[in-house]
Every structure is written in structure tokens, then in C-alpha cells.
């Protein structure tokens, strides 16, 4: 299955959830937030939100800014 | 002056009260950005020197290729700072609302009170970074409906400032001059009009409505100027981060805010075209021309 992750194509095995993706990226303990198709997926929904072919996923964090 | 004399003067001078923005209370009226520093330790030291208890941060894509990269959060004492997430880089109301929700999600996970608010920026273009007033108003309404305490970056136009306030913005933050320009308060009359429109009862304002001058600060005197015009606080980033000595500049900015606060309330003398001697004429022994 292919999704778009932070603007780049990414191939995933099986039918992972958002929680699976976050774990695969090694970000399960990082301060980050996930959007799928421009909609926020709250952390409590990560384990149940299944990703689908073609999903546009954004994983964001906090950076310095003004 | 001796240390005792300084203490005595401080005791006689009323303390600067905290600033209230919606349900938030900040001890310092200086809010600082966290961008553009040469490194995180310098940022951390500059924040400390500024005395700020609120810092603004941006929301960006996680750098998935650089998992070893240190996080800014390791250099922000989250137990002492309220984080103010911003929507910098957004050019539409829709994107600003998305970014606000993402920022809230992260700060909720961190247990930081900053989860409840956002510094809203909807920009018009990349070269001026001036706000898009229509997009800002639209996003402000949406975010207020979603329960956010919204601090709106705005132009120095009093009409849009009042519209944002009426849409539920907890604070309107007019730009002194464009972001990062270091030109200070470019149009003091406009900033004064914004402040009067938002704060004077006869103009439908309220004295306790917080107005924070955001952007354009290049040096400490710019902060004094903004505070003299009646601002409740100042938000800046580049003026500290890109100074040759950011920590020392942060210290100066802190002092400037205090100076501006007090001078705005001490009642300055009127400007006059001609001189007014400070020493008495009586008893002068010299010849005075024309007399």
C-alpha cells in the first residue's frame, strides 16, 4: 500500500493503523501530531484509525519560530 | 547611586502587573520567539535573560530522515514556560485552522497550558509577510468556535483590529513593521489608533483589552516606543535571535519593557519648539544677549 507521508511517497506493508505508522517511524514517544487527508487524528484514535491507499499523511512537531 | 537607593526607588515604584489574555495570565509582558537562533543553548539562555514566561513556537513536518536531531523541547523548561503555538507560514484560513489544531494536539500531550491558545497568522505573501485581513478574520471566527483563545497577528489598521476583537480574538497584535524587518514602530499614529480603538470606552473598547505589538522590533528603544504608545506587551523574535549577542540583547529588551511601561504611566512633558532653561535666570551674573 502506498501513502504520501510528509509530501513523499511511502510504501507500507499490510493495512497499518496510524499507531503502527508512528511506531514504525520511531516516534511513539515524540511530541508529534498526525493528520490524515488534512484532518487531525487525535492520539486516542491512532490505534483504531486504519490507513488507506493514497492517504495523505502529515506528521508534525514543534520547531523554533516567531 | 548606592544599592540601597536603587532598592528604595524600586519600592516606591509600583510593580508591573501581570498581563491577562483570555484565561491566561503571564508574569512578563515580553513574549519571545524561538526561531533563528544559532543554537538551542543560546536560545535557552536568551529566553532566560528576557524574563519571558511565554514563548512562541511553530508547527512543522517531523524531519523523518534525521531521527538523531535534538528537539527544541529539550531546551524549553516546560514547567516554567507557557508555549504559544503559532500558525506562521499559513496563507489560508483553512491551513491556519489545521495547524492550530495540530499544535493543540501536541501541547495537550505535553500537558502544557499552551494547548488552549494560538498565535494566529494568516499571511498575504512571502515578501512582506503582512497579514491577510480577510483570511485572518475567517480563521479567527473558526478557532474561537473551536474553543481556542486566539491572539491575532494583524496589520496596524484600527478597523480590522476592531473586527478581530469583535470576532472573539482575546488579543489583537498589530505589527510595528514587517516581521524580521527591525524597523520598529514604523507608523506610531496607526498603532496609537489601534490601541485607542480597542481600549477606549468611547470607541467601544475596554481598558483591560490586551494589545500586544508583534513584529518589527529591532532594538530595545523600539519596545520602549511601543509601550509608550500604550501597548500592553511586545512580542519579538529576530531582534534578539539575530543580535550579535542575543543573551545581552534579551536582557536589554527586558529592561526596555519595564522602562516603557513606567514611562507610559509617569506622564511625560509636552514637546515644545523652544528651550526651557533648567537652571534659574534669577542671579545670573553674565550678560544675556538682547537684554
Amino acid at each position: 500500500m502506498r501513502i504520501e507521508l510528509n509530501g513523499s511517497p511511502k510504501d507500507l506493508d499490510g493495512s497499518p493503523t496510524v499507531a503502527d505508522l508512528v511506531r514504525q517511524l520511531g516516534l511513539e514517544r515524540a511530541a508529534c501530531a498526525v493528520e490524515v487527508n488534512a484532518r487531525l487524528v487525535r492520539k486516542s484514535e491512532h490505534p483504531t484509525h486504519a490507513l488507506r491507499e493514497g492517504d495523505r499523511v502529515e506528521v508534525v512537531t514543534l520547531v523554533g519560530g516567531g | 547611586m548606592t544599592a540601597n537607593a536603587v532598592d528604595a526607588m524600586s519600592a516606591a515604584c509600583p510593580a508591573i502587573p501581570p498581563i491577562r489574555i483570555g484565561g491566561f495570565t503571564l508574569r512578563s509582558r515580553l513574549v519571545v520567539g524561538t526561531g533563528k537562533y544559532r543554537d538551542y543553548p543560546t536560545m535557552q539562555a536568551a529566553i532566560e535573560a528576557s524574563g519571558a514566561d511565554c514563548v512562541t513556537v511553530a508547527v512543522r513536518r517531523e524531519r523523518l530522515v534525521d531521527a538523531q536531531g535534538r528537539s527544541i523541547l529539550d531546551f524549553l523548561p516546560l514547567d516554567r514556560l507557557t508555549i504559544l503555538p503559532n500558525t506562521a507560514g499559513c496563507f489560508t484560513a483553512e491551513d491556519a485552522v489545521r495547524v492550530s489544531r495540530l499544535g493543540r494536539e501536541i501541547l495537550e500531550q505535553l500537558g502544557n497550558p499552551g494547548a488552549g491558545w494560538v498565535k494566529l497568522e494568516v499571511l498575504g505573501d512571502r515578501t512582506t509577510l503582512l497579514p491577510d485581513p480577510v483570511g485572518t478574520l475567517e480563521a479567527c471566527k473558526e478557532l474561537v468556535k473551536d474553543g481556542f483563545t486566539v491572539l491575532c497577528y494583524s496589520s496596524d489598521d484600527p478597523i480590522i483590529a476592531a473586527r478581530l476583537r469583535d470576532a472573539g480574538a482575546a488579543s489583537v497584535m498589530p505589527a510595528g513593521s514587517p516581521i524580521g524587518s527591525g524597523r520598529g514602530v514604523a507608523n506610531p499614529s496607526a498603532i496609537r489608533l489601534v490601541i485607542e480603538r480597542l481600549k477606549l470606552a468611547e470607541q467601544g473598547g475596554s481598558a483591560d483589552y490586551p494589545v500586544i505589538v508583534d513584529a518589527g522590533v529591532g532594538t530595545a528603544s523600539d519596545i520602549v516606543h511601543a509601550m509608550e504608545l500604550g501597548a500592553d506587551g511586545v512580542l519579538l523574535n529576530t531582534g534578539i535571535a539575530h543580535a550579535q549577542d542575543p543573551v545581552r540583547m534579551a536582557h536589554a529588551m527586558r529592561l526596555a519593557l519595564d522602562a516603557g511601561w513606567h514611562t507610559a504611566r509617569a506622564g511625560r512633558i509636552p514637546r515644545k519648539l523652544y528651550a526651557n532653561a533648567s537652571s534659574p535666570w534669577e542671579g545670573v551674573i553674565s550678560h544675556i544677549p538682547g537684554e
Side-chain angles (χ1 to χ4, degrees):
Chain A
M1 178 175 89
R2 175 167 282 199
I3 62 165
E4 188 184 297
L5 175 63
N6 286 6
S8 301
K10 170 126 184 125
D11 292 314
L12 300 171
D13 294 330
S15 46
T17 63
V18 170
D20 295 331
L21 175 65
V22 168
R23 203 173 308 119
Q24 194 183 323
L25 296 170
L27 296 171
E28 60 268 48
R29 274 192 294 277
C32 63
V34 181
E35 235 188 16
V36 177
N37 300 326
R39 289 186 72 89
L40 172 69
V41 180
R42 303 205 57 190
K43 186 143 190 164
S44 57
E45 299 159 0
H46 287 192
T48 51
H49 190 112
L51 292 168
R52 293 182 187 159
E53 176 77 29
D55 274 349
R56 282 173 296 115
V57 180
E58 295 285 354
V59 182
V60 300
T61 188
L62 300 177
V63 301
Chain B
M1 208 184 303
T2 65
N4 280 348
V6 173
D7 290 346
M9 198 173 67
S10 300
C13 196
I16 301 177
I19 181 170
R20 291 194 167 77
I21 306 164
F24 290 80
T25 302
L26 300 178
R27 198 181 60 251
S28 169
R29 291 166 178 267
L30 200 59
V31 176
V32 296
T34 55
K36 295 179 168 177
Y37 282 94
R38 74 171 82 95
D39 52 47
Y40 287 143
T42 306
M43 175 200 75
Q44 188 174 13
I47 291 169
E48 183 74 28
S50 76
D53 53 334
C54 173
V55 299
T56 183
V57 298
V59 174
R60 289 292 180 272
R61 280 175 170 162
E62 185 73 64
R63 288 174 308 165
L64 301 169
V65 287
D66 182 19
Q68 306 306 315
R70 292 191 292 184
S71 166
I72 191 172
L73 294 168
D74 298 333
F75 295 85
L76 296 174
L78 292 177
D79 52 332
R80 285 184 280 134
L81 292 174
T82 300
I83 307 295
L84 174 61
N86 64 51
T87 66
C90 290
F91 291 84
T92 65
E94 189 189 356
D95 283 347
V97 170
R98 283 172 61 200
V99 167
S100 301
R101 288 176 178 150
L102 289 164
R104 176 165 67 183
E105 168 77 5
I106 296 172
L107 288 169
E108 276 175 357
Q109 290 170 32
L110 294 171
N112 190 271
W117 68 358
V118 66
K119 173 184 186 259
L120 174 64
E121 290 183 29
V122 180
L123 303 173
D125 65 47
R126 271 185 79 148
T127 49
T128 66
L129 298 179
L130 287 171
D132 172 352
V134 178
T136 305
L137 185 61
E138 205 181 311
C140 178
K141 287 177 183 167
E142 187 65 29
L143 290 168
V144 168
K145 209 163 38 172
D146 199 8
F148 281 92
T149 295
V150 184
L151 289 71
C152 279
Y153 170 62
S154 176
S155 65
D156 58 7
D157 172 53
I159 309 304
I160 186 66
R163 292 287 296 270
L164 291 168
R165 187 264 323 270
D166 295 345
S171 175
V172 172
M173 307 201 292
S177 51
I179 293 170
S181 71
R183 284 199 270 125
V185 179
N187 190 345
S189 307
I191 292 290
R192 185 71 202 162
L193 288 175
V194 169
I195 291 170
E196 296 208 350
R197 177 64 62 105
L198 296 174
K199 294 176 87 76
L200 291 184
E202 57 267 37
Q203 294 203 30
S206 163
D208 60 3
Y209 189 83
V211 181
I212 297 170
V213 169
D214 175 3
V217 169
T219 188
S221 54
D222 297 335
I223 292 187
V224 179
H225 192 190
M227 295 303 288
E228 283 176 348
L229 290 166
D232 294 286
V234 174
L235 191 156
L236 81 155
N237 186 348
T238 312
I240 294 175
H242 274 189
Q244 286 185 19
D245 184 342
V247 178
R248 192 165 194 172
M249 187 60 89
H251 177 70
M253 297 295 187
R254 174 187 198 161
L255 296 174
L257 193 123
D258 288 8
W261 170 271
H262 289 301
T263 198
R265 285 152 187 83
R268 61 152 296 155
I269 60 164
R271 287 184 173 84
K272 293 175 190 153
L273 184 58
Y274 292 101
N276 191 341
S278 299
S279 305
W281 290 116
E282 192 186 336
V284 162
I285 61 168
S286 64
H287 170 72
I288 299 171
E291 288 185 16

